[in-house]
Amino acid sequence: MNMQSIAIIIFSLSAVLDGVDGLVARQCNLISKWGEWLDPLCDKLTYLPPLLGFAHVGILSSRLVWMLITVELAGQFLVRHILKLINSSGAANNFGKIKAIICFALVVFCTLLDKNPDVLNLADEILIACIILATASIVFKFVPHRLYADILSTLNFCCGITSLYLTYRHHLAWAIMVIIVGQLFDLFDGRMAEKHGGTRFGPYLDDIADFVSFGLAPAYIIYKSGGVLSWLFGCIFIGGVAFRLIRFVTIDKKKDDLPEGIFNGLPSPAGAMIVLGASLVAPANLLSAIAMISVGLMVSHVRFTHFGRVMLKQMPKPVFFMLSAMITVCIAFILKTKNVEMFGYLLSGAVLLYIITGRKKQDASQPRPGEN
């Protein structure tokens, strides 16, 4: 076994211990203020020096590494001191946890890259994601908890508007990427509202953001595809999403036979993803047909499990964080290779997997829609 393999094993063990220490502290009731401060500091002292070393040998951008170090040190010392003065919690949030996992993975990747120069170098792209997550982790520590959901919904709305502009400029892949980012914001805004509460404008803001990001933006992509009657199919898609959202607010939420966390019809984000994936790999006329299938699933009474509130909750946290890291690496790979077709197949495969695994069978004892 060479020194590189030994280094990777030791570093991987360190990453595993980082994931276990918090679990042990919670299970054994050993949580302390000192531990909350020491845990992230040890994480940073584990992955920042190797990243700095890789920057020194040219594998990583020195500027990006120093940006990450600056943000990390500010979060560890300056921000925590400010939070202490205003009597606010400085505990790690999901942004910080996902960032730490990606940084650990980045060190291993750079180690392999050092000995295998033929491997595609995605290091800088992954490092940019780490900087964004580290910054988000700091920013959200200063935001009142009840505003979390509204901020995420607003970001989702901004993603939809940005996607419309990018589609107009014929940057289709980037437009789709932005919508996917909006879906991530939408995935967590409801959970944040449940956990921390929200404002009275939150539900309206969420619906408007969903309509723009998952209705208008995909419909515009259908229109720009240039197929026969693409404008008509785009309008039908908008109508389908609008119907789906209105039915959810006015009818589905009041149903006694619809359990919490179950959707009546395919959720609009999944319906949008069907169109987004197909737009990258399917001819224009086929895209219109696929869009109509998506509309049919959204307005149907087929029941689907809520991905964020049910499926993610049932997913063990280590699996969730590892999945988040894998998604980040996949996005970095797509950005680096600019393989648009791979992006399309990845989206199509993801939504197909959700349709298969997320479908909820209705109990025979429950009345079907339209029955008294």
Side-chain angles (χ1 to χ4, degrees), residues 76 84 106 276 372:
Q76 181 67 36
K84 186 177 180 180
L106 180 59
L276 300 180
N372 294 325

Side-chain angles (χ1 to χ4, degrees), residues 3 9 12 31 71 89 102-103 107 114 130 137 180 204 250 261:
M3 296 300 294
I9 291 174
S12 300
I31 299 175
V71 174
S89 173
I102 295 176
C103 285
V107 171
D114 186 34
C130 293
S137 176
I180 300 302
Y204 304 103
T250 60

Side-chain angles (χ1 to χ4, degrees), residues 278-313:
S279 66
L280 295 174
V281 296
N285 292 331
L286 180 58
L287 171 61
S288 298
I290 293 174
M292 295 305 97
I293 295 174
S294 175
V295 171
L297 288 172
M298 285 190 290
V299 302
S300 72
H301 292 286
V302 179
R303 297 189 171 184
F304 292 90
T305 304
H306 195 299
F307 181 76
R309 298 185 186 181
V310 177
M311 299 178 75
L312 275 186
K313 280 186 177 180

Side-chain angles (χ1 to χ4, degrees), residues 13-44:
L13 178 61
S14 173
V16 171
L17 292 175
D18 173 61
V20 171
D21 59 359
L23 180 63
V24 172
R26 287 187 292 271
Q27 293 292 333
C28 300
N29 196 24
L30 298 174
I31 299 175
S32 65
K33 293 293 183 181
W34 168 250
E36 287 184 357
W37 182 85
L38 183 63
D39 180 33
L41 177 62
C42 290
D43 294 346
K44 295 172 178 60

